[in-house]
Amino acid sequence: MYLEILLATALAVAGVVLAPIYDALERKIKARLHSRVGPPILQTWYDVLKLLAKELVIPEGGYFTAAIVLTELFLSIALLVSVSFLLFFQSLTMYVLVAVFISALSAATLVKSVTQNNLFSVIGGFREYSVVLSAEPFLILLVLLIGAKGVSDLKSLIGLAPVVLTAYVMTARIPFDIAEAEPEIASGIMIELSGPLLAANELSLLTRRYVMAALPAYLFLPWFVANPLLRIGLGLALTLLTWVIFAVVAVLLGRTRAAVMLKGTTAAALALTLLFIIVESVPYG
Amino acid sequence: MSIMKLLSIAARAKVVTRRYPFEPPVVTEGFRGKIEVDPKLCWGCGVCTRICPPNALTLKKREDGTLVLSYFMGRCIFCGMCAEVCPRGAITVTKEFELASLTAEDLVRNVKHDVVRCRICGRVIGPAVEMREATKSVGGAEAKYYDLCPECRKLVVARGIMTKVGVRP
Amino acid sequence: MGEQSKYLPECPEMGEVVRKLTEEYGGHVIFSRESEVYVEVPRHELRDVAKYLYSSGAFLKTCAAVDERPLNRSFALYHIFGMDSKGYDVIVKVSAPEDDAWVPSIVDVVPAADWCELEARDMVGIELKGRRLVRRLVLPEDWPEDIHPLRKEVPHDFRPPSVKAESEFRPPERGIPIGPYHPVLHEPEYFELLVEGETVVDVYYRGFHVHRGIEKLGESPRFTYQKIPFLAERICGICGFVHSTCAIMAMEKAAGLRPPERAEFIRTIVLELERIHSHLLWVGVAAHVLGYDAGFMHTWRVREPVMILSELITGSRKTYGLNLVGGVRRDIDKNKMEKIMKTLDRVEKEFKELANLLVSVPQIRRRAQGTGVLTRSEARALSVVGPVARASGLYRDVRKDYPYLAYEEASFKVPLYTEGDNLARVLVRVEEVFESISIIRQLLDKLPGGPIMHEKCSAIIPVDELIPPGKYAVAAIEAPRGEDVHFLMTGEGRPYRWRVRAPTYQNIPALRPMLRGDPLADAPLTIASIDPCFSCTDRALVIDVRTGRARTIKLWDGGVGTCRL
Ligand code: SF4
Ligand code: SF4
């Protein structure tokens, strides 16, 4: 029990450290697909450290925005910890906790955008809201379903599809980056942030991305793999794999118009989730 | 469909960017960078300063009696016109373009020229080398007047003639 | 009027136009050459003349205000009408005595005259009679009322003390500001989009933040004719060669000399190389705006060999410094020819593949199709130019309409689309890249021998004696973004007046009809779709006031110099 708590915590810490490295890896992959050399593997860490070294500028929205940015960082780390615990503890409480942190995190992002007192940020906030609405309810539903019923059958793996889809949407990668779409609304929700606050924002975004890359594996692995060490190994490997796949997908897509894209995503997420529910409710055998 | 196309393009294109500045820059044989003025060849005639479109080359008279051909890279547009018109071939166009510097003075190159003053009235006649070389090519009787300004020279020559023919000036 | 007989046999229509202007409108010919005729008309006839010309198929290229007080104690405004289908220009001059300095406005009959009229007012101080909306276009808010920079008594390096602005700039209440600094505009320029939800309902534009007074500088004692090509080249960082060639063509016309054939071929080849790199640059930026950075990077990768090639041929990747009055400074030898051919083959192959990819990316197609629509009649009324005109079904291309340099030696198509949307503008440019490649190949094939510099000209010989004072010339070139026009009035050893009309100047007013009713997300693409070049546009001074309109929402009625597009 204590060992497992320790392992889960270590896994979460590893996640925080790895997220910026994976991000640099993503930039490397992107660069390769662009025929560029790309940055070194520690580049994102360098960027974050550099931002941390700059002076603290409190944005237009005042201390409230600063507080929210830190809350966001705290919540994303909390989410990472709770998701790491999923690998070892399959009690419903754990799943509920994950669901709560996911929605709390989205809520914090929304609040952050409206406190900034900047037009671009507010537009970004509304866009963020619609992106979240198109995916988050399904993701939470899936997490709770798996927590309540558990999965044990290979056919349950059909549930991976909606989880991966909604997790991708939640990473705010192209084409779901409309909340910050640089050419359109000049970084949107991040426009007022700089220095250490931007670094905190960056870290929480990357941690969130790490969680979303880990989630598919962490939700399904425990039900199929008994050995905890193997779980950890597979969990780490699959997280990296998912991140890489997400990275490649992001290079291949362009940014779509908000309305068109979200309708499609919602429809797909809904259909896949329903499919999973139907498959799950057919009695075993 | 478009995804496969992109992957195939990327696979064939390989990596094309370079680790500049850790690798030498790519410049072609046609490239024009900053210019260099050879102080040994330059006469200080100033032809280049008149053609230079942004006035990156200027000819300045100093208090101490020297003439300075000053090249300021900060203004230079690397057109190479100066090299084209220099009668002495003193200007070479190099391939150097990495000129960033912390002080503007680093971007200035001066070529100093002594001037010849008229030995009678003391007026500056022109850059010393140019005068000397020009006189060399003329040679003979002219050479001994090279350090006279046109006015004084006229006077001296006139006086000489008058003396010769016996008229007292 | 005796000069009429010179061109009459060649071009009967031109004779008819001149007859009409002189006999019916009381004008008289002041100057003419092969494809240009300058007619001075009494100012009260200007509106009728403009109406007649515009309705008989002329486009308005621009107008140029000149302070002619030192010559004849009056101001003058030259409206340059281009008869595209016939290939000649009619330049209509009106004078205004210095103590009664007004000319009639023709904006209501020729909407395209909007900007240049305001510029004339700002820069030379000619009042516009009969114009409803008169505002500052070019001069900043804190510029003193009574100082007009292009008047002759104002020195070129004059810096007036700033005065208190009549009205302060206010941040928008409902609009989305785009600029003056914005990731999509790589130059400072200000757009304000009024949105309802995600739909753009109106647009304001404020420009000329980077006005550098290049025209004034060209008239200053700092410059001589042979230095002006280098100055003109710096009007634009992308199509600089267009400007230097265009300025030179005007000077050569005024001097009455034609550069050797080989020089004309080389200029044409470099102009087309410039078009290729400019279009590739634009296609890349468009992909970036759509969030498709892979398209951006690969287009620029394909473009790079063109830049390297330009450096090899001219000495520089941009601002080539190749041009002089009378010819070019560098020849294209066998070895360079081979390299050009090789590069073109490579670019053609790779860009074909890439263009194919770009139009097949569903996100790009979906967002470019049907957005930013400019109808043919809007395009005609605003006399828009270049790919923007050709994507709206308006067949305009200086290379065909007024053949210059060596363009008659090559056969090429002018891509034409009628949809008028962003996709059409993409496709026009993509196709033009291939046409340019073909033009260069044909010209290299036919490259004539001989010198590359006119025998009367060289880097050392000043050409000032060759260009007599008191001459006029209008030169136009099809730049990558459309028609670029230079108007020249010669003076003693330097221009008396040098007016530059860059293509974007003509196209920005078209953004308003394009943007209205479209989703906000598409606005950056639409703005980018005219391939705006603000440095070019701003070389002089201007701001806009288009026919005002009111909407359901309250309009912010902008500060001085703010314009409604
Ligand atoms: S560099 Fe040449 S042109 Fe210039 S001053 Fe010296 S000699 Fe004359
Ligand atoms: S290269 Fe051109 S700009 Fe530079 S000094 Fe020579 S003439 Fe002047």
Side-chain angles (χ1 to χ4, degrees):
Chain A
M1 166 83 172
Y2 287 119
L3 178 71
E4 278 150 354
I5 292 180
L6 212 66
L7 280 177
T9 313
L11 211 52
V13 172
V16 176
V17 177
L18 281 177
I21 295 178
Y22 285 4
D23 182 62
L25 178 70
E26 171 164 2
R27 288 159 77 177
K28 200 93 188 157
I29 293 170
K30 196 189 214 174
R32 184 57 194 80
L33 288 171
H34 288 169
S35 293
R36 290 185 286 117
V37 173
I41 206 75
L42 284 178
Q43 188 62 50
T44 305
W45 266 121
Y46 297 149
D47 294 350
V48 168
L49 293 177
K50 182 178 138 192
L51 285 174
L52 281 175
K54 304 247 163 192
E55 83 266 34
L56 181 68
V57 178
I58 300 296
E60 285 257 322
Y63 288 93
F64 196 51
T65 305
I68 289 284
V69 168
L70 295 179
T71 312
E72 228 191 336
L73 179 58
F74 168 76
L75 282 174
S76 56
I77 293 174
L79 175 61
L80 177 56
V81 173
S82 61
V83 167
S84 307
F85 271 69
L86 280 190
L87 217 42
F88 307 99
F89 306 95
Q90 282 81 41
S91 74
L92 184 56
T93 331
M94 222 54 242
Y95 287 88
V96 173
L97 206 56
V98 169
V100 167
F101 282 136
I102 290 180
S103 56
L105 192 53
S106 313
T109 310
L110 282 182
V111 175
K112 178 182 69 181
S113 66
V114 288
T115 59
Q116 279 179 44
N117 190 20
N118 180 307
L119 255 176
F120 290 110
S121 163
V122 174
I123 297 180
F126 285 124
R127 287 177 164 201
E128 173 82 10
Y129 186 58
S130 48
V131 172
V132 165
L133 267 192
S134 75
E136 198 202 59
F138 302 103
L139 184 60
I140 290 180
L141 185 63
L142 289 159
V143 169
L144 293 178
L145 266 178
I146 293 171
K149 281 198 66 200
V151 283
S152 50
D153 210 327
L154 273 184
K155 71 177 188 314
S156 305
L157 285 180
I158 194 98
L160 264 177
V163 172
V164 170
L165 173 69
T166 47
Y168 183 83
V169 175
M170 298 290 285
T171 59
R173 283 190 175 87
I174 275 183
F176 303 99
D177 64 338
I178 50 170
E180 52 191 75
E182 185 240 14
E184 290 162 28
I185 53 174
S187 302
I189 49 177
M190 312 194 307
I191 192 164
E192 289 289 335
L193 304 178
S194 64
L197 283 184
L198 189 58
N201 191 72
E202 182 81 10
L203 278 180
S204 61
L205 173 70
L206 295 178
T207 311
R208 171 145 57 133
R209 283 195 175 166
Y210 189 87
V211 170
M212 292 304 157
L215 209 50
Y218 285 24
L219 278 177
F220 289 88
L221 266 181
W223 310 95
F224 295 97
V225 182
N227 182 336
L229 284 181
L230 193 56
R231 266 189 215 170
I232 294 181
L234 274 177
L236 284 171
L238 287 174
T239 305
L240 177 60
L241 181 68
T242 315
W243 192 303
V244 170
I245 293 174
F246 282 5
V248 173
V249 170
V251 179
L252 300 177
L253 296 177
R255 193 176 295 116
T256 336
R257 218 172 287 143
V260 185
M261 171 198 74
L262 294 176
K263 251 183 239 152
T265 322
T266 317
L270 179 66
L272 289 169
T273 313
L274 281 178
L275 185 65
F276 175 62
I277 295 174
I278 292 165
V279 168
E280 279 297 282
S281 46
V282 175
Y284 299 130
Chain B
M1 222 8 243
S2 59
I3 292 176
M4 291 324 291
K5 276 187 208 159
L6 173 61
L7 290 177
S8 127
I9 288 175
R12 274 173 294 136
K14 309 237 167 57
V15 172
V16 295
T17 54
R18 303 164 137 253
R19 287 174 208 276
Y20 181 78
F22 306 109
E23 278 176 41
V26 193
V27 284
T28 60
E29 73 220 45
F31 179 71
R32 284 188 308 257
K34 72 161 204 202
I35 59 154
E36 248 154 40
V37 183
D38 186 342
K40 283 200 227 55
L41 286 176
C42 175
W43 278 1
C45 67
V47 170
C48 54
T49 65
R50 277 194 294 272
I51 198 75
C52 177
N55 287 358
L57 281 165
T58 43
L59 204 55
K60 294 174 195 149
K61 260 186 213 137
R62 286 258 178 92
E63 295 280 298
D64 62 357
T66 50
L67 202 62
V68 173
L69 176 69
S70 176
Y71 170 49
F72 180 43
M73 287 165 225
R75 297 197 77 135
C76 182
I77 58 172
F78 313 114
C79 64
M81 286 292 277
C82 49
E84 224 160 283
V85 300
C86 173
R88 298 278 301 137
I91 299 180
T92 28
V93 178
T94 71
K95 302 230 176 302
E96 205 179 316
F97 66 93
E98 294 155 307
L99 308 174
S101 160
L102 290 177
T103 59
E105 290 84 70
D106 283 354
L107 301 180
V108 178
R109 295 279 178 282
N110 286 333
V111 176
K112 270 191 217 155
H113 290 285
D114 289 330
V115 287
V116 179
R117 286 172 186 280
C118 176
R119 86 168 106 90
I120 297 175
C121 67
R123 244 189 320 166
V124 174
I125 319 172
V129 227
E130 184 181 9
M131 300 300 297
R132 213 164 35 237
E133 298 293 323
T135 331
K136 239 187 245 161
S137 59
V138 181
E142 281 290 312
K144 64 182 188 215
Y145 301 128
Y146 93 99
D147 52 357
L148 291 177
C149 72
E151 254 90 276
C152 296
R153 186 178 313 176
K154 259 186 237 150
L155 263 171
V156 169
V157 173
R159 229 182 245 146
I161 292 172
M162 284 185 212
T163 324
K164 234 178 231 157
V165 295
V167 186
R168 291 195 55 164
Chain C
M1 223 165 298
E3 296 200 56
Q4 271 183 54
S5 52
K6 246 172 40 194
Y7 47 76
L8 266 176
E10 283 174 45
C11 185
E13 289 92 353
M14 194 159 151
E16 170 56 22
V17 167
V18 171
R19 192 198 58 75
K20 192 126 178 164
L21 292 192
T22 50
E23 286 170 19
E24 284 177 31
Y25 296 109
H28 62 280
V29 176
I30 52 171
F31 187 80
S32 82
R33 76 165 61 84
E34 235 184 317
S35 56
E36 293 153 49
V37 59
Y38 296 73
V39 187
E40 174 156 11
V41 300
R43 59 182 166 178
H44 62 269
E45 297 281 13
L46 178 64
R47 288 170 48 83
D48 290 336
V49 169
K51 206 184 285 170
Y52 157 65
L53 286 172
Y54 218 50
S55 62
S56 55
F59 287 88
L60 183 73
K61 286 184 166 172
T62 193
C63 58
V66 186
D67 175 8
E68 293 186 355
R69 285 173 304 160
L71 306 175
N72 52 26
R73 308 181 61 78
S74 59
F75 295 104
L77 189 64
Y78 294 83
H79 283 281
I80 305 168
F81 288 94
M83 293 286 186
D84 274 15
S85 52
K86 313 276 168 38
Y88 64 85
D89 294 320
V90 179
I91 295 94
V92 179
K93 174 183 177 181
V94 279
S95 299
E98 59 180 329
D99 46 5
D100 187 23
W102 62 269
V103 297
S105 163
I106 59 166
V107 146
D108 48 341
V109 283
V110 183
D114 189 8
W115 275 29
C116 66
E117 279 192 0
L118 289 174
E119 181 166 348
R121 177 177 173 270
D122 273 4
M123 301 306 280
V124 181
I126 302 179
E127 282 309 319
L128 305 158
K129 268 229 173 117
R131 214 188 135 106
R132 222 153 43 80
L133 287 164
V134 179
R135 277 184 185 169
R136 257 186 201 181
L137 178 63
V138 184
L139 294 177
E141 283 80 358
D142 59 353
W143 186 272
E145 241 343 270
D146 49 350
I147 296 178
H148 303 284
L150 280 181
R151 288 196 173 178
K152 294 298 171 193
E153 72 267 16
V154 181
H156 74 276
D157 50 359
F158 178 64
R159 283 168 196 265
S162 78
V163 295
K164 201 175 166 315
E166 254 169 59
S167 78
E168 294 283 318
F169 175 82
R170 271 183 294 141
E173 276 152 32
R174 295 200 48 178
I176 307 287
I178 295 194
Y181 302 102
H182 188 277
V184 129
L185 311 171
H186 299 166
E187 295 169 80
E189 212 77 352
Y190 181 75
F191 289 88
E192 185 183 330
L193 308 181
L194 292 161
V195 292
E196 274 170 11
E198 285 254 334
T199 306
V200 178
V201 292
D202 214 339
V203 189
Y204 294 121
Y205 167 77
R206 170 72 163 102
F208 300 93
H209 300 105
V210 283
H211 186 269
R212 292 162 290 168
I214 284 186
E215 290 174 358
K216 183 82 185 177
L217 200 56
E219 299 166 11
S220 78
R222 273 276 284 103
F223 277 84
T224 60
Y225 283 118
Q226 205 60 296
K227 285 183 183 182
I228 282 184
F230 296 95
L231 179 65
E233 195 149 47
R234 277 154 184 80
I235 290 173
C236 179
I238 296 175
C239 59
F241 193 71
V242 166
H243 285 289
S244 91
T245 310
C246 203
I248 282 179
M249 273 166 48
M251 291 188 267
E252 285 171 351
K253 267 188 181 178
L257 63 83
R258 239 193 116 154
E261 251 197 313
R262 192 176 173 88
E264 292 200 327
F265 269 66
I266 292 177
R267 279 182 191 168
T268 317
I269 289 168
V270 177
L271 280 172
E272 289 307 311
L273 268 183
E274 194 167 65
R275 187 184 321 279
I276 295 174
H277 105 72
S278 174
H279 280 357
L280 291 182
L281 177 146
W282 179 83
V283 169
V285 171
H288 169 65
V289 171
L290 290 171
Y292 191 59
D293 279 351
F296 173 30
M297 295 293 166
H298 282 287
T299 317
W300 281 44
R301 171 178 60 76
V302 172
R303 169 179 174 262
E304 186 58 21
V306 181
M307 305 306 287
I308 295 176
L309 188 66
S310 308
E311 182 190 297
L312 179 76
I313 300 174
T314 67
S316 216
R317 289 166 63 95
K318 276 314 314 163
T319 46
Y320 305 140
L322 182 69
N323 258 335
L324 284 180
V325 177
V328 292
R329 294 170 60 202
R330 283 195 187 187
D331 204 357
I332 295 182
D333 59 15
K334 269 259 135 44
N335 166 28
K336 284 181 184 158
M337 252 192 230
E338 262 166 40
K339 288 212 169 112
I340 299 176
M341 286 297 201
K342 246 197 231 139
T343 310
L344 290 182
D345 289 347
R346 184 169 152 201
V347 171
E348 187 181 35
K349 190 169 138 279
E350 295 198 49
F351 187 59
K352 221 172 233 159
E353 206 175 12
L354 205 56
N356 212 319
L357 162 73
L358 288 173
V359 293
S360 72
V361 175
Q363 287 84 349
I364 292 189
R365 200 164 248 288
R366 223 179 292 143
R367 291 192 57 179
Q369 205 157 26
T371 54
V373 175
L374 181 73
T375 64
R376 191 177 187 283
S377 60
E378 287 163 342
R380 171 67 181 94
L382 295 170
S383 285
V384 301
V385 295
V388 178
R390 296 193 282 275
S392 291
L394 208 57
Y395 184 98
R396 298 192 72 189
D397 190 322
V398 189
R399 295 175 294 177
K400 291 283 190 196
D401 297 335
Y402 310 82
Y404 54 95
L405 297 178
Y407 281 108
E408 270 172 317
E409 305 289 327
S411 88
F412 60 97
K413 284 203 304 280
V414 177
L416 196 68
Y417 282 79
T418 51
E419 291 83 351
D421 59 0
N422 287 331
L423 185 63
R425 289 189 280 275
V426 174
L427 294 175
V428 164
R429 293 194 178 98
V430 166
E431 283 176 35
E432 281 183 11
V433 170
F434 299 115
E435 291 302 323
S436 295
I437 292 176
S438 139
I439 293 174
I440 299 176
R441 284 200 185 118
Q442 296 174 45
L443 292 183
L444 279 180
D445 216 41
K446 287 190 184 173
L447 191 65
I452 54 168
M453 184 61 81
H454 193 277
E455 77 255 14
K456 283 198 207 147
C457 309
S458 84
I460 309 180
I461 311 170
V463 288
D464 306 347
E465 282 105 73
L466 297 176
I467 307 178
K471 297 268 185 207
Y472 294 99
V474 170
I477 284 190
E478 184 69 21
R481 296 172 177 73
E483 173 196 62
D484 176 37
V485 181
H486 284 227
F487 168 84
L488 177 72
M489 200 176 149
T490 60
E492 300 283 347
R494 63 184 58 89
Y496 185 81
R497 175 80 168 93
W498 172 40
R499 161 96 171 114
V500 181
R501 206 293 327 278
T504 306
Y505 191 90
Q506 209 76 346
N507 285 342
I508 286 181
L511 277 175
R512 191 165 184 247
M514 284 183 193
L515 285 168
R516 276 178 19 187
D518 272 8
L520 172 64
D522 294 331
L525 176 66
T526 302
I527 292 176
S529 80
I530 68 162
D531 196 358
C533 178
F534 297 118
S535 288
C536 285
T537 310
D538 289 6
R539 104 263 75 93
L541 313 158
V542 184
I543 273 217
D544 172 50
V545 179
R546 160 102 318 126
T547 52
R549 21 87 317 110
R551 274 220 142 220
T552 48
I553 48 165
K554 193 181 140 264
L555 284 173
W556 166 58
D557 74 336
V560 176
T562 305
C563 60
R564 289 185 196 161
L565 281 174

